[in-house]
Amino acid sequence: MLKIKDNVDLKELEKFGFQSIKSGFEWVKGSDYNIMYSIDTSRIINIGTPLPMLEQLDDTIYDLIKADLVEKVEE
């Protein structure tokens, strides 16, 4: 699983198109491919997409990794 690092202020997600909902307890971003990214208080990155669209992921995850905001965690 991918997780936003604990030392990252979640407001940084706004730079990548995420919006805070539920008073900062969840951050979401939709994309042109009907993909929904969400990050809640556990900081785990959840991706919701119709299965046929899976091969068309946008650059959101790549951009977060490149900015050094993401770490891999065990389930």
Side-chain angles (χ1 to χ4, degrees):
M1 289 187 296
L2 297 177
K3 174 186 172 196
I4 301 296
K5 293 180 178 179
D6 290 332
N7 65 340
V8 172
D9 182 353
L10 293 179
K11 284 220 166 254
E12 289 286 315
L13 297 172
E14 292 174 350
K15 295 177 184 176
F16 300 92
F18 283 83
Q19 296 178 356
S20 173
I21 61 172
K22 299 182 183 176
S23 299
F25 288 102
E26 186 174 9
W27 292 78
V28 297
K29 176 185 178 184
S31 78
D32 294 338
Y33 300 113
N34 294 324
I35 301 167
M36 177 64 72
Y37 299 93
S38 68
I39 301 166
D40 61 16
T41 54
S42 68
R43 294 176 171 252
I44 299 296
I45 300 171
N46 298 297
I47 304 172
T49 180
L51 287 178
M53 302 296 287
L54 197 53
E55 70 275 357
Q56 296 180 357
L57 289 176
D58 62 12
D59 292 334
T60 299
I61 298 298
Y62 174 78
D63 293 341
L64 293 172
I65 292 169
K66 187 88 169 156
D68 199 30
L69 302 180
V70 175
E71 64 186 353
K72 184 177 178 181
V73 295
E74 298 296 322
E75 287 189 44

